[in-house]
Amino acid sequence: MEFVLAIFFLLFYYLRPQDWVVGLEGANLIKPIMAIWAGILLTARSRPSPLHGWMRTPHDWVILVYYTYVVVTAPDPKVVLTGFLPLVVFYAFTVQSVNTWERLLSYLKWWNLALALVALLAVLSLFGIDPTGAKEA
């Protein structure tokens, strides 16, 4: 279930339907999705993580060092801490949800699909088709 939420969050993060779909405008959907995702990760994982616990791989440490560097060197660390934290949480949840090669390949396919849809929306606007309403703004 956590992998499905990882894909769902990825699509919401890239396509941002809450910004252009009628009825969802202004709705804060990302935080509830992340809360549900956290709940699933803590209570009902479909498979155990191949790396029990956190901070077991070099890229986990790189993200932690980068996050610390950004917060420490910022003019206002509190603002940067709260602005950058959701991205670090997204990384941590994704690492815990994408824990097999099959899941990784599937996640990358969904990510490519999301990027292709964003590009399609941009190209459609060149031909006068603007489902996002971006031209009006």
Side-chain angles (χ1 to χ4, degrees), residues 28 42 113:
N28 187 359
L42 293 173
L113 177 65

Side-chain angles (χ1 to χ4, degrees), residues 34-107:
M34 288 184 84
I36 293 168
W37 196 4
I40 294 295
L41 280 173
L42 293 173
T43 61
R45 294 185 66 139
S46 61
R47 11 178 107 179
S49 174
L51 305 169
H52 302 291
W54 304 88
M55 308 308 290
R56 299 287 182 151
T57 62
H59 57 277
D60 292 338
W61 287 100
V62 168
I63 293 294
L64 177 65
V65 169
Y66 179 60
Y67 180 65
T68 305
Y69 170 77
V70 168
V71 170
V72 169
T73 60
D76 188 0
K78 184 178 178 182
V79 171
V80 173
L81 181 72
T82 57
F84 199 48
L85 184 63
L87 298 174
V88 174
V89 171
F90 174 42
Y91 164 78
F93 286 0
T94 302
V95 166
Q96 291 299 311
S97 299
V98 181
N99 54 14
T100 65
W101 281 109
E102 294 80 22
R103 284 184 173 192
L104 177 62
L105 292 175
S106 179
Y107 187 83

